[in-house]
Amino acid sequence: MKLGFLGTGNISSDVISGICKSRLNINKIYISPRNRKKANSLKRKYKGKIIIAKNNQEVIDKSTWVFLGVIPNIGKKILPSLKFRSNQTIISFISTIKYHKLKKITNNKARIVRAIPMPPISLGKGPIALYPPNKKVKSFFDKIGTCIEIKSEKLSNNFWAISGTMASFYELLKVLSDWLVKKGLKRSDAQIYIMSLYSALAELASLHSAQNLKKFVLNSQTPGGLNWQVVNELRKSGYYKSLEKSINNILTRLNKA
């Protein structure tokens, strides 16, 4: 199978890395030349598998599946002038161009799937939400992550909204590591500690994913203890309500798109 990527930004690069490290039987990956620096980097890293196309149309012409990894404004600008084949599968990573709009602006009967990959896909890890369900696309992504099929596009917007919390998560890690640095620790030691701690906490919760997360909140604190103090101070400050408000704002934006 031959794959094509329109856009070589962070997400497309992460997906390409995940593919190249996996056992997927991919003959060639054609990528657009827009981000020349990243395109050349991918070509050097995965020699013999990556081909930089002359333009976007060549990416489409040479590929069985085409991945749309451009930002929404660019997508709206370039997609209507490109010609897709009816026997192709189009997989879109574009957050604010909905399914029916993609159908309209690509102007063809090709199979379209919207996917939400996250950066850990470069390691073969992390969730990928798909709409609409597609067995072949699910089987593909299950080899480089954990696929979740969504039957309703409106429901899939909730997953797009949650994907918008990634930077805030890293900001939390940064704040905590910065605090340790201010207290006299080396930045390398501070970051290793914080990343190791949160990675282990997430892994522990993942091993018991059938349990309600409320149980983890309760079991990680004792009345009057350190964790009890922090979680309750953050609750009183409105920290968690503010987080929920931000996610709701993202969802409103997605629903209006």
Side-chain angles (χ1 to χ4, degrees), residues 154-168:
K154 185 176 181 180
L155 183 60
S156 75
N157 280 341
N158 296 308
F159 291 85
W160 284 105
I162 291 296
S163 74
T165 64
M166 183 171 58
S168 61

Side-chain angles (χ1 to χ4, degrees), residues 29-241:
I29 299 177
Y30 294 88
I31 61 177
S32 57
R34 179 176 174 81
N35 190 327
R36 181 62 66 173
K37 184 177 180 179
K38 284 195 174 183
N40 285 329
S41 176
L42 287 167
K43 185 177 181 179
R44 287 193 302 270
K45 191 172 184 179
Y46 305 109
K47 292 180 180 179
K49 187 163 285 190
I50 305 293
I51 297 174
I52 302 175
K54 294 177 182 178
N55 51 51
N56 290 325
Q57 188 59 56
E58 186 181 20
V59 171
I60 296 168
D61 293 343
K62 296 288 180 96
S63 305
T64 312
W65 287 11
V66 181
F67 296 79
L68 309 181
V70 295
I71 62 175
N73 288 343
I74 296 296
K76 291 174 183 177
K77 182 179 179 180
I78 68 170
L79 291 177
S81 62
L82 297 172
K83 295 180 180 179
F84 296 85
R85 301 189 303 277
S86 60
N87 64 345
Q88 284 182 309
T89 296
I90 301 172
I91 301 169
S92 174
F93 302 152
I94 305 173
S95 62
T96 55
I97 302 183
K98 294 180 181 177
Y99 184 83
H100 72 279
K101 289 185 179 179
L102 284 169
K103 277 285 188 183
K104 185 176 181 180
I105 61 179
T106 55
N107 194 30
N108 71 93
K109 297 180 180 180
R111 293 174 296 276
I112 295 178
V113 178
R114 297 185 69 203
I116 315 172
M118 304 294 279
I121 199 170
S122 64
L123 307 174
K125 296 182 178 182
I128 306 101
L130 296 181
Y131 171 82
N134 183 298
K135 289 183 179 179
K136 288 184 178 179
V137 177
K138 181 182 186 302
S139 176
F140 175 89
F141 277 117
D142 272 338
K143 293 178 175 64
I144 50 174
T146 304
C147 227
I148 301 169
E149 292 185 302
I150 314 300
K151 294 183 179 180
S152 159
E153 185 168 37
K154 185 176 181 180
L155 183 60
S156 75
N157 280 341
N158 296 308
F159 291 85
W160 284 105
I162 291 296
S163 74
T165 64
M166 183 171 58
S168 61
F169 168 72
Y170 285 121
E171 178 69 12
L172 170 63
L173 302 188
K174 178 182 175 298
V175 168
L176 294 175
S177 61
D178 285 349
W179 185 87
L180 286 175
V181 171
K182 290 175 184 176
K183 299 303 177 184
L185 271 76
K186 293 181 180 179
R187 179 163 297 279
S188 58
D189 290 339
Q191 291 193 173
I192 287 172
Y193 177 80
I194 294 299
M195 288 185 284
S196 178
L197 171 62
Y198 277 81
S199 176
L201 289 172
E203 185 177 357
L204 179 62
S206 181
L207 287 173
H208 304 280
S209 58
Q211 295 182 14
N212 192 314
L213 284 170
K214 183 177 180 179
K215 185 173 182 180
F216 287 92
V217 177
L218 293 172
N219 288 347
S220 61
Q221 60 178 298
T222 54
L226 304 181
N227 280 280
W228 176 90
Q229 179 178 338
V230 173
V231 74
N232 280 286
E233 286 184 1
L234 289 175
R235 283 171 178 164
K236 288 178 181 178
S237 73
Y239 175 84
Y240 299 108
K241 287 189 177 297

Side-chain angles (χ1 to χ4, degrees), residues 1-3 19-20 22-29 49 140:
M1 184 164 63
K2 297 177 182 179
L3 307 179
I19 292 169
C20 291
S22 74
R23 295 182 179 179
L24 284 165
N25 185 22
I26 305 300
N27 297 323
K28 298 291 180 183
I29 299 177
K49 187 163 285 190
F140 175 89

